Amino acid sequence: MHTLLVANRGEIARRVLATARRLGWRTVALHTDLDAGALHVTEADVAVRVGSYLDIDEVVAAARDSGAGYVHPGYGFLSERAPFARALAEAGITLVGPTAEVMDAMGRKDAARDIAVEAGVPVVPSYDLADDPSSFAYPVLVKAAAGGGGKGMRVVRSAAEYAEALGAAQREARSSFGDDTMLIEKYVESGRHVEVQVMGDTHGHVVHLFERDCSTQRRHQKVLEEAPAPTISEEQRGAITASAVALAAQVGYTGAGTVEFLLDNATGEFYFLEMNTRLQVEHPVTEEVVRVRGERVDLVALQLQVATGEPLGLTQDDVTLEGHAIEARVYAEDSFAGFLPQAGTASLVRWPAEDGTVTQPTGTRVRVDHALVSGQEVSTAYDPMLGKVVVWGADREAARTGLVAALDDTAVLGLTTNTGFLRALAAGEEFRDATIDTAWLDRHEVPAPDGDLARVFAAWTQVLLDTRPAEAHLQSDPAGPWHADGWRMGADPAPDTVTLGETLHVVDRHRGRVDDHEVRTVSAQDHTVHLIVDGRAEHAVLDVRSGDVEVAHRGQRWAWQRPDPFADHGPEAGDGSLVAPMPGTVLDVRVEQGQQVAEGDVLGVLEAMKMELALTAPFAGTVTTVDAVAGRQVPLGHVLFHVEPTGQEEQA
C-alpha cells in the first residue's frame, strides 16, 4: 500500500486526502499546534505535529518517520521550493510534482522567459535594466524575477516614476523572496489572464486539459476563475494550448502544472507570463469541465499516477470539454472596508454543498472545497482563504446564475468574509458580459449592499421568536417554525419595536409589516429563515443571542447589538424577583424554597436563543419562591425565583 503525506493544511489538504483515500492509499496529515483539531487532521489515517509547515527538515523527517513514500505539497508553503524537492529525493521520498531542476528553471520569471523563447512561445516585449528609462514605451511593468502572488510588482506610467517604483518593487521582492532581481516588460493596459492546465508523465508524454480564465483579480490576486475561457476564439485556444504543451515538453515537465498567459484585448496577441509548478487553487473548474473519454477528470489522481511512475494513459484526443464552471474564493476579509483581514470564531457556518457536491434543480452542480465548520477559530497566522464555491452549468450563464444562488446559500457568522462581495460581483453586468479585464477591480468599486433587507430579517425574526406557533402567518408545522437547534417559541405577545444598533424598527406581525416592507413567513428552521418581502422570495441565516443578532443575507454578514434583556426584565433595586428575560427552557434548578443563599449564587440556568443564562441571587437572603422545573418552557417575564434579603424575613 502506498503512503502519502500531505504537506499542507486547510481545504487543499482535505482535497488531496479525499482522492488518496478513494484510491486506497494510507494517508498522513501534518499539523501545527494551532491546527491540532483541524478537519484535515481528523480525516487522515495518521497525524504528525510540526512546528511549521515551512520547515523543510521537519517535514522531511515527518514523512520518513511516518513511513510515507510520497509527499503532496498542495499549493503555497513548500510546493514550489526546489530545496524541499531535493531534500525529499535525498531521503528516498517522491515528491508529487516536478523535479527540483524543473522548479529551478521555471520558478524564476527570467529563466522561464528564456525557456519559453527556446520553445517558440510568445513572450511580452521587454527592456534591459541597463537601458535608459527615457527610451521605454510607457506604461511598463516592473516585476520580481523570483516569487509570485503579485509581490514585487509595480506599474510605471512615466520615466519620472520609474526610479521610485523600481526601488519599491526591489525592496518588496528582497523582503518576500530574498532576491531583488527585476524584469521590465511592456504593460498591457487591458488584458485577460488565460492559463493552461498541463500534465506530463515520466515517459515523455505531455497533454493539456484546456484553459481557464482568471481575469477577475484584484492587485494580481485572483477572485473569480472560470473554465473554459469565455472570450477567446477556437484559433486562439488552439494556439495558446499548443504553446503551453510546447513549453512543458521543452523543460521535461512531470505532473500537474499551469502555464499562464496574458491576452492583449487591443491586439488579440497572447504572451507567456510564468509557469506554476504545482496544482493551482483554481484547479476545480478544470475538473468540472474537462472529460477524459467522457468521464470527469481528477487532477490529484493523475498526479499520484504520474508520481508512481505510471504513464498518463491518455492522448490529447481523449480530452474534451463539457459545459462551463466558475469558482469563487471565500476569504476571511472585509471587502467593503479596504479588504482588511478578519479573524475570530466562525460561530455559524453554512455552505451550499455541505457534503462536497450537490446538483441543483436548475441542472447546475455545486461543489465546495472548504475547511471551515461552525465553532472553528480563524487565525491570521495562515492564508485567509476559507473555501471555494464552484458551480458547473451547461453554459456560462447557467454557471454564473448558479454561482449567485450558491453564494446566496453561503453564510459565515462570527466574522466577516468576502462572500457578499463575491455575490455582488458575480451578479453584476460586467462579469455577466465577460468584460472584466485584469485591472478592472483596481479601477472600479463593487457597490456595497445597503443592509435594508437584512434588517427586515433581524427585526421580524426577533419579534416572531416571542409569538405563538398558532399565528396564521406562520408555517403550519405543529412544532412551530423555530423548533430546531435552540429556536423556541414563547407564549407571550411580542413587542412591536426592535432596536438594531441605534435604529428602531416598527414590526406589526398581525398586518405583516416591518417599517415600510410587507413581510410573510414561509419557513424557519435551523437558523435559516425564508420570507416573502414585498412580494419577493428571500432567505437569510440568522443567529440571535441575548447581546446581539447576526444576519447573513446574499452572502453578506450584518451584526447589530441588541438592548440588554436583563436591563429591561431583571430585578429592580431592592427587588428579589428573578424573571425570565426572554422565552426559554429551564435547564437547571439549584435551590429550593427556604434555602439560604449568598449574593451571586446561581439559583438556576435558563436556555434562551441558543444561550445559557445563569440566574444569580441579587443579594444574600432566603429563597422564598421557586417556580422553575428543569425542562419546562417559560414565557418572557415569568417569575422563576424570589429572594428576600437577610433580616427582612424576620421583620415580616
Side-chain angles (χ1 to χ4, degrees):
M1 176 187 293
H2 297 306
T3 297
L4 175 72
L5 181 142
V6 182
N8 218 296
R9 65 182 300 277
E11 57 86 20
I12 185 56
R14 297 188 70 207
R15 161 73 189 91
V16 173
L17 288 167
T19 289
R21 288 197 308 271
R22 179 176 63 81
L23 295 177
W25 288 43
R26 176 174 172 267
T27 57
V28 182
L30 291 184
H31 69 87
T32 60
D33 290 338
L34 200 60
D35 277 343
L39 289 178
H40 76 277
V41 175
T42 65
E43 292 171 347
D45 297 316
V46 178
V48 180
R49 179 198 173 278
V50 291
S52 168
Y53 296 105
L54 290 168
D55 190 314
I56 291 176
D57 292 338
E58 271 198 299
V59 175
V60 172
R64 183 181 58 245
D65 295 345
S66 63
Y70 301 85
V71 170
H72 196 300
Y75 39 70
F77 292 135
L78 299 174
S79 61
E80 294 182 283
R81 295 281 301 277
F84 179 53
R86 288 193 179 88
L88 286 173
E90 290 170 2
I93 299 168
T94 300
L95 176 71
V96 181
T99 64
E101 291 71 28
V102 169
M103 287 187 188
D104 280 334
M106 303 309 296
R108 291 186 57 87
K109 295 181 179 66
D110 49 0
R113 179 188 174 92
D114 292 340
I115 294 170
V117 171
E118 293 174 10
V121 176
V123 297
V124 182
S126 66
Y127 301 94
D128 193 278
L129 224 61
D131 292 343
D132 181 359
S134 64
S135 66
F136 297 169
Y138 290 93
V140 298
L141 183 66
V142 176
K143 67 179 184 180
K151 294 182 175 66
M153 192 176 293
R154 297 290 187 279
V155 177
V156 186
R157 299 193 173 278
S158 70
E161 302 173 5
Y162 175 78
E164 183 177 348
L166 176 64
Q170 285 178 316
R171 288 190 297 272
E172 189 172 274
R174 192 160 50 245
S175 172
S176 300
F177 316 123
D179 186 337
D180 62 2
T181 305
M182 308 301 292
L183 296 175
I184 315 297
E185 296 179 340
K186 167 190 173 181
Y187 178 66
V188 176
E189 288 282 8
S190 177
R192 299 192 70 87
H193 180 116
V194 178
E195 60 186 34
V196 179
Q197 179 71 61
V198 295
M199 185 72 68
D201 63 21
T202 56
H203 303 272
H205 305 131
V206 179
V207 297
H208 72 76
L209 292 95
F210 289 98
E211 81 288 342
R212 301 181 285 259
D213 187 304
C214 307
S215 301
T216 307
Q217 51 186 256
R218 177 183 170 273
R219 296 184 179 178
H220 309 291
Q221 296 292 311
K222 298 165 186 174
V223 178
L224 298 175
E225 302 107 343
E226 57 187 308
T231 63
I232 63 174
S233 65
E234 284 301 319
E235 183 181 0
Q236 288 173 316
R237 171 173 289 121
I240 290 174
T241 54
S243 292
V245 170
L247 180 65
Q250 177 75 26
V251 76
Y253 197 83
T254 56
T258 297
V259 185
E260 300 189 346
F261 297 92
L262 180 64
L263 181 66
D264 190 336
N265 285 332
T267 66
E269 296 178 306
F270 65 91
Y271 307 110
F272 168 73
L273 286 177
E274 62 179 331
M275 184 175 193
N276 289 293
T277 55
R278 54 171 168 78
L279 200 64
Q280 293 280 85
V281 173
E282 58 272 22
H283 77 273
V285 293
T286 291
E287 293 184 322
E288 291 302 310
V289 300
V290 168
R291 303 289 180 267
V292 175
R293 292 186 285 271
E295 299 294 326
R296 284 212 304 274
V297 71
D298 182 333
L299 293 178
V300 174
L302 285 178
Q303 284 186 295
L304 297 179
Q305 180 178 323
V306 169
T308 60
E310 296 181 38
L312 283 172
L314 59 95
T315 67
Q316 196 62 64
D317 290 340
D318 294 324
V319 183
T320 57
L321 284 171
E322 182 179 316
H324 200 94
I326 309 174
E327 172 181 290
R329 301 186 183 193
V330 177
Y331 282 93
E333 66 181 18
D334 190 343
S335 305
F336 299 114
F339 293 87
L340 292 174
Q342 303 291 297
T345 300
S347 57
L348 193 63
V349 179
R350 295 286 186 270
W351 295 106
E354 292 289 350
D355 298 320
T357 303
V358 297
T359 300
Q360 297 176 326
T362 58
T364 57
R365 185 171 55 247
V366 182
R367 165 179 170 176
V368 178
D369 289 10
H370 77 89
L372 184 71
V373 294
S374 299
Q376 188 171 328
E377 190 74 19
V378 176
S379 167
T380 57
Y382 300 115
D383 188 274
M385 189 170 69
L386 306 175
K388 304 175 301 197
V389 178
V390 188
V391 177
W392 176 93
D395 54 38
R396 186 176 188 269
E397 184 59 11
R400 187 191 69 85
T401 56
L403 178 64
V404 172
L407 293 171
D408 281 343
D409 292 338
T410 302
V412 178
L413 298 180
L415 71 153
T416 297
T417 72
N418 68 334
T419 310
F421 169 83
L422 295 170
R423 195 267 184 200
L425 183 60
E429 294 180 0
E430 292 82 4
F431 187 76
R432 180 197 66 193
D433 298 337
T435 58
I436 293 179
D437 61 26
T438 56
W440 190 89
L441 278 174
D442 298 328
R443 302 190 306 264
H444 300 84
E445 289 188 0
V446 175
D450 61 17
D452 186 43
L453 287 176
R455 285 180 172 273
V456 169
F457 271 94
W460 183 257
T461 299
Q462 288 181 79
V463 168
L464 292 191
L465 280 168
D466 294 331
T467 62
R468 293 181 176 87
E471 294 291 342
H473 59 267
L474 295 181
Q475 180 175 303
S476 58
D477 183 337
W482 309 98
H483 67 281
D485 196 14
W487 295 67
R488 295 181 174 87
M489 302 297 294
D492 286 1
D496 61 0
T497 59
V498 173
T499 301
L500 298 175
E502 299 180 356
T503 304
L504 186 69
H505 297 272
V506 178
V507 181
D508 187 336
R509 60 184 173 84
H510 299 290
R511 294 174 57 220
R513 298 191 68 83
V514 175
D515 299 331
D516 297 329
H517 299 280
E518 294 184 357
V519 181
R520 179 168 62 87
T521 304
V522 177
S523 65
Q525 185 173 358
D526 194 20
H527 293 273
T528 301
V529 180
H530 295 261
L531 301 178
I532 302 295
V533 182
D534 299 329
R536 179 187 176 98
E538 298 281 352
H539 66 278
V541 173
L542 291 91
D543 195 12
V544 183
R545 299 181 296 277
S546 62
D548 54 54
V549 56
E550 289 186 80
V551 179
H553 177 249
R554 296 181 182 173
Q556 184 66 26
R557 169 187 177 251
W558 304 88
W560 295 283
Q561 293 294 312
R562 304 177 65 209
D564 184 355
F566 288 106
D568 294 334
H569 306 292
E572 300 287 343
D575 182 3
S577 295
L578 283 91
V579 302
M582 60 190 74
T585 302
V586 178
L587 292 184
D588 191 15
V589 177
R590 300 185 183 180
V591 295
E592 57 187 22
Q593 190 172 339
Q595 183 174 330
Q596 297 291 314
V597 293
E599 180 180 347
D601 282 355
V602 176
L603 310 185
V605 180
L606 182 73
E607 181 190 53
M609 294 185 180
K610 211 183 175 188
M611 282 191 64
E612 291 186 8
L613 307 173
L615 303 174
T616 60
F619 36 68
T622 303
V623 178
T624 60
T625 300
V626 177
D627 191 9
V629 177
R632 177 186 295 173
Q633 292 191 13
V634 293
L636 170 71
H638 180 79
V639 179
L640 298 166
F641 306 97
H642 185 85
V643 179
E644 287 291 339
T646 299
Q648 288 195 11
E649 61 271 19
E650 289 88 353
Q651 298 173 9

